[in-house]
Coordinates of all heavy atoms in Angstrom, one line a residue:
T1 N 0.8 -1.2 0.0 CA 0.0 0.0 0.0 C 0.9 1.2 0.0 O 2.1 1.2 0.4 CB -0.9 0.0 1.2 OG1 -0.1 0.1 2.4 CG2 -1.8 -1.2 1.3
P2 N 0.3 2.4 -0.3 CA 1.1 3.6 -0.3 C 1.7 4.0 1.0 O 2.8 4.5 1.2 CB 0.1 4.7 -0.8 CG -1.0 3.9 -1.5 CD -1.0 2.6 -0.9
E3 N 0.9 3.7 2.1 CA 1.4 4.0 3.5 C 2.6 3.2 3.8 O 3.5 3.7 4.4 CB 0.2 3.7 4.5 CG -0.9 4.8 4.4 CD -2.0 4.5 5.4 OE1 -2.0 3.3 5.9 OE2 -2.8 5.4 5.6
V4 N 2.6 1.9 3.4 CA 3.7 1.0 3.7 C 5.0 1.5 2.9 O 6.1 1.6 3.5 CB 3.4 -0.4 3.3 CG1 4.7 -1.3 3.5 CG2 2.3 -1.0 4.2
S5 N 4.8 2.0 1.7 CA 5.9 2.6 0.9 C 6.4 3.8 1.6 O 7.7 4.0 1.7 CB 5.5 2.9 -0.5 OG 5.1 1.7 -1.2
L6 N 5.5 4.7 2.1 CA 6.0 5.9 2.8 C 6.7 5.5 4.1 O 7.8 6.1 4.4 CB 4.8 6.8 3.1 CG 4.1 7.5 2.0 CD1 2.8 8.2 2.4 CD2 5.1 8.5 1.4
M7 N 6.2 4.5 4.8 CA 6.9 4.1 6.1 C 8.3 3.5 5.7 O 9.3 3.9 6.4 CB 6.1 3.1 6.8 CG 4.9 3.7 7.5 SD 4.1 2.5 8.6 CE 2.9 1.7 7.5
R8 N 8.4 2.7 4.7 CA 9.7 2.1 4.3 C 10.7 3.2 3.9 O 11.8 3.2 4.3 CB 9.5 1.1 3.2 CG 10.8 0.4 2.8 CD 10.6 -0.6 1.7 NE 10.2 0.1 0.5 CZ 9.0 -0.1 -0.1 NH1 8.2 -1.0 0.3 NH2 8.7 0.6 -1.2
D9 N 10.2 4.2 3.1 CA 11.1 5.3 2.7 C 11.5 6.1 3.9 O 12.7 6.5 4.0 CB 10.4 6.2 1.7 CG 10.1 5.5 0.4 OD1 10.8 4.4 0.1 OD2 9.3 5.9 -0.4
Y10 N 10.6 6.4 4.8 CA 11.0 7.2 6.0 C 12.0 6.5 6.8 O 13.0 7.0 7.3 CB 9.7 7.6 6.8 CG 10.1 8.2 8.1 CD1 10.6 9.6 8.1 CD2 10.1 7.6 9.3 CE1 10.9 10.2 9.3 CE2 10.5 8.2 10.5 CZ 10.9 9.5 10.5 OH 11.3 10.1 11.6
L11 N 11.7 5.2 7.1 CA 12.7 4.4 7.9 C 14.0 4.3 7.2 O 15.1 4.3 7.9 CB 12.1 3.0 8.2 CG 10.9 3.0 9.1 CD1 10.2 1.6 9.1 CD2 11.3 3.4 10.5
T12 N 14.1 4.1 5.9 CA 15.3 4.0 5.2 C 16.1 5.3 5.4 O 17.3 5.3 5.7 CB 15.1 3.8 3.7 OG1 14.4 2.5 3.6 CG2 16.4 3.6 3.0
G13 N 15.5 6.4 5.2 CA 16.1 7.7 5.4 C 16.6 8.0 6.8 O 17.7 8.4 7.0
R14 N 15.8 7.6 7.7 CA 16.1 7.8 9.1 C 17.3 6.9 9.6 O 18.2 7.4 10.3 CB 14.9 7.5 10.0 CG 15.0 7.8 11.5 CD 15.0 9.3 11.8 NE 15.3 9.5 13.2 CZ 14.4 9.6 14.1 NH1 13.1 9.6 13.8 NH2 14.8 9.8 15.3
I15 N 17.3 5.7 9.1 CA 18.4 4.8 9.4 C 19.7 5.3 8.8 O 20.8 5.2 9.4 CB 18.1 3.3 9.1 CG1 17.0 2.8 10.0 CG2 19.3 2.4 9.1 CD1 16.3 1.5 9.6
E16 N 19.6 5.7 7.5 CA 20.8 6.3 6.9 C 21.4 7.5 7.6 O 22.6 7.6 7.8 CB 20.5 6.7 5.4 CG 20.4 5.6 4.4 CD 21.7 4.8 4.3 OE1 22.8 5.5 4.2 OE2 21.7 3.6 4.3
W17 N 20.5 8.3 8.1 CA 20.9 9.5 8.9 C 21.6 9.0 10.2 O 22.6 9.5 10.6 CB 19.7 10.3 9.2 CG 20.0 11.5 10.1 CD1 20.6 12.7 9.6 CD2 19.6 11.7 11.4 NE1 20.7 13.5 10.7 CE2 20.1 13.0 11.8 CE3 19.0 11.0 12.4 CZ2 19.9 13.5 13.1 CZ3 18.8 11.5 13.6 CH2 19.3 12.7 14.0
M18 N 21.0 7.9 10.9 CA 21.6 7.4 12.1 C 23.0 6.8 11.8 O 23.9 7.0 12.6 CB 20.7 6.3 12.6 CG 19.5 6.7 13.3 SD 18.6 5.2 13.8 CE 17.1 5.9 14.5
K19 N 23.2 6.2 10.7 CA 24.5 5.6 10.3 C 25.5 6.7 10.1 O 26.7 6.6 10.5 CB 24.4 4.8 9.1 CG 23.7 3.5 9.3 CD 23.7 2.6 8.0 CE 23.1 1.3 8.3 NZ 23.1 0.4 7.1
R20 N 25.1 7.9 9.5 CA 26.1 9.0 9.3 C 26.4 9.7 10.6 O 27.5 10.1 10.8 CB 25.5 9.9 8.2 CG 25.6 9.4 6.8 CD 25.3 10.5 5.8 NE 24.0 11.1 6.1 CZ 22.9 10.7 5.4 NH1 22.9 9.8 4.5 NH2 21.8 11.3 5.7
A21 N 25.4 10.0 11.4 CA 25.5 10.8 12.6 C 25.6 9.8 13.8 O 24.6 9.5 14.4 CB 24.4 11.8 12.8
K22 N 26.8 9.4 14.1 CA 27.0 8.4 15.1 C 26.6 8.8 16.5 O 26.2 8.0 17.3 CB 28.5 8.0 15.2 CG 29.0 7.5 13.9 CD 28.5 6.1 13.6 CE 29.1 5.5 12.3 NZ 28.5 4.4 11.9
E23 N 26.6 10.1 16.8 CA 26.2 10.5 18.2 C 24.7 10.7 18.4 O 24.3 11.0 19.5 CB 26.9 11.9 18.5 CG 26.4 13.1 17.8 CD 27.0 13.2 16.4 OE1 27.9 12.5 16.0 OE2 26.5 14.0 15.6
T24 N 23.9 10.4 17.4 CA 22.5 10.6 17.6 C 21.8 9.4 18.3 O 22.4 8.3 18.3 CB 21.8 10.8 16.2 OG1 22.1 9.6 15.4 CG2 22.3 12.0 15.5
G25 N 20.6 9.6 18.7 CA 19.9 8.5 19.4 C 19.5 7.5 18.3 O 19.4 7.7 17.1
R26 N 19.2 6.3 18.8 CA 18.8 5.2 17.9 C 17.3 4.9 18.1 O 16.9 3.8 17.6 CB 19.6 4.0 18.3 CG 21.1 4.1 18.1 CD 21.5 4.2 16.7 NE 22.9 4.2 16.5 CZ 23.6 5.2 15.9 NH1 23.0 6.3 15.5 NH2 24.9 5.1 15.8
N27 N 16.5 5.7 18.7 CA 15.1 5.5 18.9 C 14.3 6.2 17.8 O 14.6 7.4 17.5 CB 14.6 5.9 20.3 CG 15.3 5.0 21.3 OD1 15.6 3.9 21.1 ND2 15.4 5.6 22.5
I28 N 13.2 5.6 17.4 CA 12.3 6.2 16.4 C 10.9 6.0 17.1 O 10.5 4.8 17.3 CB 12.3 5.5 15.0 CG1 13.7 5.5 14.5 CG2 11.4 6.2 14.1 CD1 13.9 4.8 13.2
L29 N 10.2 7.1 17.3 CA 8.8 7.0 17.9 C 7.8 6.6 16.8 O 7.9 7.1 15.7 CB 8.5 8.3 18.5 CG 9.3 8.8 19.7 CD1 8.8 10.2 20.1 CD2 9.2 7.8 20.8
Y30 N 6.9 5.8 17.2 CA 5.8 5.4 16.3 C 5.0 6.7 15.9 O 4.7 6.9 14.7 CB 4.8 4.5 16.9 CG 5.3 3.0 17.0 CD1 5.4 2.4 18.2 CD2 5.6 2.4 15.8 CE1 5.8 1.1 18.3 CE2 6.1 1.0 15.9 CZ 6.1 0.4 17.1 OH 6.6 -0.9 17.2
S31 N 4.8 7.6 16.8 CA 4.1 8.8 16.5 C 4.8 9.6 15.4 O 4.1 10.2 14.5 CB 3.9 9.7 17.7 OG 5.1 10.0 18.3
T32 N 6.1 9.7 15.4 CA 6.9 10.4 14.4 C 6.8 9.7 13.1 O 6.6 10.3 12.0 CB 8.4 10.4 14.8 OG1 8.5 11.0 16.1 CG2 9.2 11.2 13.8
I33 N 6.8 8.3 13.0 CA 6.7 7.6 11.8 C 5.3 7.9 11.2 O 5.2 8.2 10.0 CB 6.8 6.1 12.0 CG1 8.3 5.7 12.5 CG2 6.5 5.3 10.8 CD1 8.4 4.3 13.0
F34 N 4.3 7.8 12.0 CA 2.9 8.0 11.5 C 2.8 9.5 11.0 O 2.2 9.7 10.0 CB 1.9 7.7 12.6 CG 1.9 6.3 13.0 CD1 1.4 5.9 14.3 CD2 2.3 5.3 12.2 CE1 1.4 4.6 14.7 CE2 2.3 3.9 12.6 CZ 1.9 3.6 13.9
A35 N 3.3 10.4 11.8 CA 3.1 11.8 11.4 C 3.9 12.1 10.0 O 3.3 12.8 9.2 CB 3.7 12.7 12.4
E36 N 5.1 11.5 9.9 CA 5.8 11.7 8.6 C 5.2 11.1 7.4 O 5.4 11.5 6.3 CB 7.3 11.2 8.8 CG 8.1 12.0 9.7 CD 8.5 13.4 9.2 OE1 8.6 13.5 7.9 OE2 8.6 14.3 10.0
C37 N 4.3 10.1 7.7 CA 3.7 9.4 6.6 C 2.2 9.9 6.4 O 1.5 9.4 5.6 CB 3.6 7.9 6.9 SG 5.3 7.1 6.9
G38 N 1.9 10.9 7.1 CA 0.5 11.5 6.9 C -0.6 10.7 7.6 O -1.7 10.9 7.1
I39 N -0.3 9.9 8.5 CA -1.3 9.1 9.2 C -1.7 9.8 10.5 O -0.8 10.1 11.3 CB -0.8 7.7 9.5 CG1 -0.3 7.0 8.2 CG2 -1.8 6.9 10.3 CD1 0.5 5.7 8.4
D40 N -2.9 10.1 10.7 CA -3.4 10.8 11.9 C -3.6 9.7 13.0 O -4.6 8.9 12.9 CB -4.7 11.5 11.7 CG -5.1 12.4 12.9 OD1 -4.5 12.3 13.9 OD2 -6.2 13.1 12.7
E41 N -2.7 9.6 13.9 CA -2.8 8.5 14.9 C -4.0 8.6 15.8 O -4.5 7.6 16.2 CB -1.5 8.6 15.8 CG -1.3 7.4 16.6 CD 0.0 7.4 17.4 OE1 0.7 8.5 17.3 OE2 0.3 6.4 18.1
N42 N -4.5 9.8 16.0 CA -5.7 10.0 16.8 C -7.0 9.4 16.2 O -8.0 9.1 16.9 CB -5.9 11.4 17.1 CG -4.8 12.0 17.9 OD1 -4.2 11.3 18.8 ND2 -4.5 13.3 17.7
K43 N -7.0 9.2 14.8 CA -8.2 8.7 14.2 C -8.1 7.2 14.0 O -9.1 6.6 13.5 CB -8.3 9.4 12.8 CG -8.7 10.9 12.9 CD -8.9 11.4 11.5 CE -9.3 12.9 11.7 NZ -9.5 13.5 10.4
L44 N -7.0 6.6 14.4 CA -6.9 5.1 14.2 C -7.5 4.4 15.4 O -7.4 4.9 16.6 CB -5.4 4.7 14.2 CG -4.6 5.2 13.0 CD1 -3.1 4.8 13.2 CD2 -5.1 4.7 11.7
T45 N -8.2 3.3 15.1 CA -8.7 2.4 16.2 C -7.5 1.7 16.8 O -6.4 1.7 16.2 CB -9.7 1.4 15.7 OG1 -9.1 0.6 14.8 CG2 -10.9 2.2 15.0
Q46 N -7.6 1.0 17.9 CA -6.5 0.2 18.5 C -6.1 -0.8 17.5 O -4.9 -1.1 17.3 CB -7.0 -0.4 19.8 CG -5.8 -1.1 20.5 CD -4.7 -0.1 20.9 OE1 -5.0 1.0 21.3 NE2 -3.5 -0.6 20.8
T47 N -7.0 -1.5 16.8 CA -6.7 -2.5 15.9 C -5.9 -2.0 14.7 O -4.8 -2.6 14.3 CB -7.9 -3.2 15.3 OG1 -8.7 -3.7 16.4 CG2 -7.6 -4.4 14.4
Q48 N -6.3 -0.8 14.2 CA -5.5 -0.2 13.1 C -4.1 0.2 13.5 O -3.2 0.0 12.8 CB -6.3 1.0 12.5 CG -7.6 0.7 11.8 CD -8.4 1.9 11.5 OE1 -8.4 2.9 12.3 NE2 -9.1 1.9 10.4
R49 N -4.0 0.7 14.7 CA -2.7 1.2 15.3 C -1.8 0.0 15.4 O -0.6 0.0 15.0 CB -2.9 1.9 16.6 CG -1.7 2.6 17.1 CD -2.0 3.4 18.4 NE -3.0 4.4 18.1 CZ -4.2 4.5 18.8 NH1 -4.5 3.7 19.7 NH2 -5.0 5.5 18.5
N50 N -2.3 -1.1 15.9 CA -1.5 -2.4 16.0 C -1.1 -2.9 14.7 O 0.0 -3.3 14.5 CB -2.3 -3.5 16.7 CG -2.5 -3.1 18.2 OD1 -1.8 -2.3 18.8 ND2 -3.5 -3.8 18.8
R51 N -2.0 -2.8 13.6 CA -1.6 -3.2 12.3 C -0.4 -2.4 11.7 O 0.5 -2.9 11.1 CB -2.8 -3.2 11.4 CG -3.7 -4.3 11.6 CD -4.9 -4.3 10.6 NE -5.8 -5.3 10.9 CZ -7.1 -5.2 10.7 NH1 -7.6 -4.1 10.2 NH2 -7.9 -6.2 11.1
K52 N -0.5 -1.1 12.0 CA 0.5 -0.2 11.5 C 1.9 -0.5 12.2 O 2.9 -0.5 11.6 CB 0.2 1.3 11.8 CG -1.1 1.8 11.1 CD -0.9 1.9 9.6 CE -2.2 2.4 8.9 NZ -2.3 1.9 7.6
R53 N 1.8 -0.8 13.5 CA 3.0 -1.1 14.2 C 3.6 -2.4 13.6 O 4.8 -2.6 13.5 CB 2.7 -1.3 15.7 CG 2.5 0.0 16.4 CD 2.3 -0.2 17.9 NE 1.8 0.9 18.5 CZ 0.8 0.9 19.4 NH1 0.3 -0.2 19.9 NH2 0.4 2.1 19.9
E54 N 2.7 -3.4 13.3 CA 3.2 -4.6 12.8 C 3.8 -4.4 11.4 O 4.8 -5.1 11.1 CB 2.0 -5.6 12.6 CG 1.6 -6.3 13.9 CD 2.8 -7.1 14.6 OE1 3.5 -7.8 13.9 OE2 2.9 -6.9 15.8
Q55 N 3.3 -3.5 10.6 CA 3.9 -3.2 9.3 C 5.3 -2.6 9.5 O 6.2 -3.0 8.8 CB 3.0 -2.2 8.5 CG 1.7 -2.8 8.1 CD 0.7 -1.8 7.5 OE1 0.8 -0.6 7.8 NE2 -0.2 -2.3 6.7
V56 N 5.4 -1.7 10.5 CA 6.8 -1.1 10.8 C 7.7 -2.2 11.2 O 8.9 -2.3 10.7 CB 6.7 -0.1 11.9 CG1 8.1 0.4 12.3 CG2 5.9 1.2 11.4
K57 N 7.3 -3.1 12.0 CA 8.2 -4.2 12.5 C 8.5 -5.2 11.3 O 9.6 -5.6 11.2 CB 7.5 -5.0 13.6 CG 7.5 -4.2 14.9 CD 7.1 -5.0 16.1 CE 5.6 -5.3 16.1 NZ 5.1 -5.9 17.3
N58 N 7.6 -5.4 10.4 CA 7.8 -6.3 9.3 C 8.9 -5.6 8.3 O 9.8 -6.3 7.8 CB 6.6 -6.5 8.5 CG 5.6 -7.5 9.2 OD1 6.1 -8.2 10.1 ND2 4.4 -7.4 8.8
I59 N 8.8 -4.3 8.2 CA 9.8 -3.6 7.3 C 11.2 -3.7 8.0 O 12.2 -4.0 7.3 CB 9.4 -2.1 7.2 CG1 8.1 -2.0 6.3 CG2 10.5 -1.3 6.6 CD1 7.5 -0.6 6.4
L60 N 11.2 -3.5 9.3 CA 12.5 -3.6 10.0 C 13.1 -5.0 10.0 O 14.3 -5.2 9.9 CB 12.4 -3.0 11.4 CG 12.1 -1.5 11.5 CD1 11.8 -1.1 12.9 CD2 13.3 -0.8 11.0
E61 N 12.2 -6.0 10.1 CA 12.6 -7.4 10.0 C 13.3 -7.7 8.7 O 14.3 -8.4 8.6 CB 11.4 -8.3 10.3 CG 11.8 -9.7 10.5 CD 12.7 -10.0 11.7 OE1 12.5 -9.4 12.8 OE2 13.7 -10.8 11.6
A62 N 12.7 -7.1 7.6 CA 13.2 -7.3 6.3 C 14.6 -6.6 6.2 O 15.5 -7.2 5.6 CB 12.3 -6.8 5.2
F63 N 14.7 -5.4 6.8 CA 16.0 -4.7 6.8 C 17.1 -5.6 7.5 O 18.2 -5.7 7.1 CB 15.9 -3.4 7.5 CG 15.2 -2.3 6.7 CD1 14.9 -1.1 7.3 CD2 14.8 -2.5 5.4 CE1 14.2 -0.1 6.6 CE2 14.2 -1.5 4.7 CZ 13.9 -0.3 5.3
K64 N 16.6 -6.2 8.6 CA 17.5 -7.0 9.4 C 18.0 -8.3 8.6 O 19.2 -8.6 8.6 CB 16.8 -7.5 10.7 CG 17.7 -8.3 11.6 CD 16.9 -8.7 12.9 CE 17.6 -9.7 13.7 NZ 16.8 -10.1 14.8
E65 N 17.1 -8.9 7.9 CA 17.4 -10.1 7.1 C 18.3 -9.8 6.0 O 19.2 -10.6 5.6 CB 16.1 -10.7 6.6 CG 15.3 -11.4 7.6 CD 14.0 -11.9 7.1 OE1 13.7 -11.8 5.9 OE2 13.1 -12.4 8.0
N66 N 18.2 -8.5 5.5 CA 19.1 -8.1 4.4 C 20.4 -7.5 4.8 O 21.2 -7.1 4.0 CB 18.4 -7.1 3.5 CG 17.2 -7.7 2.7 OD1 17.2 -8.9 2.4 ND2 16.2 -7.0 2.5
G67 N 20.6 -7.5 6.1 CA 21.9 -7.0 6.7 C 22.0 -5.4 6.7 O 23.0 -4.9 7.0
Y68 N 20.9 -4.8 6.5 CA 20.8 -3.3 6.6 C 21.0 -2.8 8.0 O 21.6 -1.7 8.2 CB 19.6 -2.8 5.9 CG 19.5 -1.3 5.6 CD1 20.5 -0.7 4.9 CD2 18.5 -0.6 6.1 CE1 20.4 0.7 4.6 CE2 18.4 0.8 5.9 CZ 19.4 1.4 5.1 OH 19.3 2.7 4.9
I69 N 20.4 -3.5 9.0 CA 20.5 -3.2 10.4 C 20.9 -4.4 11.1 O 20.6 -5.5 10.6 CB 19.2 -2.5 11.0 CG1 18.0 -3.5 10.8 CG2 18.9 -1.2 10.3 CD1 16.8 -3.0 11.6
C70 N 21.4 -4.3 12.3 CA 21.7 -5.5 13.1 C 20.5 -6.0 13.8 O 20.4 -7.2 14.1 CB 22.8 -5.1 14.2 SG 24.4 -4.7 13.4
G71 N 19.6 -5.2 14.2 CA 18.4 -5.6 15.0 C 17.6 -4.4 15.4 O 17.9 -3.3 15.2
F72 N 16.5 -4.7 16.1 CA 15.6 -3.7 16.6 C 14.8 -4.3 17.8 O 14.7 -5.5 17.9 CB 14.7 -3.1 15.6 CG 13.7 -4.1 15.1 CD1 12.4 -4.1 15.6 CD2 14.0 -5.0 14.0 CE1 11.5 -5.1 15.2 CE2 13.1 -5.9 13.6 CZ 11.8 -5.9 14.1
S73 N 14.3 -3.4 18.6 CA 13.4 -3.8 19.7 C 12.4 -2.7 19.9 O 12.6 -1.5 19.6 CB 14.1 -4.1 21.0 OG 14.8 -3.0 21.4
E74 N 11.2 -3.1 20.4 CA 10.2 -2.1 20.7 C 10.5 -1.4 22.1 O 11.0 -2.1 23.0 CB 8.8 -2.7 20.8 CG 8.2 -3.0 19.4 CD 6.8 -3.3 19.5 OE1 6.5 -4.4 20.0 OE2 5.9 -2.5 19.1
T75 N 10.2 -0.1 22.2 CA 10.4 0.6 23.4 C 9.0 0.8 24.0 O 8.1 1.0 23.3 CB 11.1 1.9 23.2 OG1 10.4 2.7 22.3 CG2 12.5 1.7 22.7
K76 N 9.0 0.9 25.3 CA 7.8 1.1 26.1 C 7.9 2.3 27.0 O 8.9 2.5 27.5 CB 7.4 -0.2 26.9 CG 6.9 -1.4 26.2 CD 6.8 -2.5 27.2 CE 5.3 -2.8 27.3 NZ 5.1 -4.0 28.2
T77 N 6.7 2.9 27.2 CA 6.6 3.9 28.2 C 5.4 3.4 29.0 O 4.3 3.4 28.5 CB 6.3 5.3 27.7 OG1 7.4 5.7 26.8 CG2 6.2 6.3 28.8
G78 N 5.6 3.0 30.2 CA 4.6 2.4 31.0 C 4.2 1.0 30.4 O 5.1 0.2 30.2
R79 N 3.0 0.9 30.0 CA 2.5 -0.3 29.4 C 2.3 -0.2 27.9 O 2.0 -1.1 27.2 CB 1.2 -0.8 30.0 CG 1.3 -1.2 31.4 CD 0.1 -1.8 32.0 NE -1.1 -1.1 31.7 CZ -2.4 -1.6 31.7 NH1 -2.5 -2.8 32.1 NH2 -3.4 -0.9 31.4
A80 N 2.5 1.0 27.4 CA 2.3 1.3 26.0 C 3.6 1.2 25.2 O 4.6 1.8 25.6 CB 1.7 2.7 25.8
F81 N 3.5 0.6 24.0 CA 4.7 0.6 23.1 C 4.7 2.0 22.4 O 3.7 2.4 21.8 CB 4.5 -0.5 22.0 CG 4.7 -1.8 22.6 CD1 3.6 -2.7 22.8 CD2 5.9 -2.3 23.0 CE1 3.7 -3.9 23.3 CE2 6.1 -3.6 23.5 CZ 5.0 -4.4 23.7
T82 N 5.8 2.7 22.5 CA 5.9 4.0 22.0 C 6.8 4.2 20.8 O 6.8 5.2 20.1 CB 6.4 5.0 23.0 OG1 7.7 4.5 23.5 CG2 5.4 5.1 24.2
G83 N 7.7 3.2 20.5 CA 8.6 3.3 19.4 C 9.5 2.1 19.2 O 9.3 1.0 19.8
I84 N 10.6 2.3 18.4 CA 11.5 1.3 18.0 C 12.9 1.8 18.4 O 13.3 2.9 18.1 CB 11.4 1.0 16.5 CG1 10.0 0.5 16.1 CG2 12.5 0.1 16.1 CD1 9.7 -0.9 16.5
A85 N 13.7 0.9 19.0 CA 15.1 1.1 19.2 C 15.9 0.3 18.1 O 15.7 -0.9 18.1 CB 15.6 0.7 20.6
V86 N 16.7 1.0 17.3 CA 17.4 0.3 16.2 C 18.8 0.1 16.5 O 19.5 1.0 17.0 CB 17.2 1.2 14.9 CG1 18.0 0.5 13.7 CG2 15.8 1.4 14.6
A87 N 19.3 -1.1 16.3 CA 20.8 -1.4 16.4 C 21.4 -1.4 15.0 O 21.0 -2.2 14.2 CB 20.9 -2.8 17.1
I88 N 22.3 -0.5 14.9 CA 22.9 -0.3 13.5 C 24.1 -1.2 13.4 O 24.9 -1.4 14.3 CB 23.4 1.2 13.3 CG1 22.2 2.1 13.6 CG2 24.1 1.4 12.0 CD1 21.3 2.4 12.4

């Protein structure tokens, strides 16, 4: 879908930026990903939000399998998943 393409493009650019700027943080917030892709997070149902997160994780898993990143993990604030920590 177009949203998945936008998410993949954003993540690719963000990871490239992380690789060049070594002193930067390695966390990417879901809210930032959604905002950059034009997705209004407030209008999503919980199920839709979970599907979008799964799409992000699937993209990152493909990056990991292709050797583009070493790995990733989800970050939490309280009980809510808020973003992704990327290992370059």
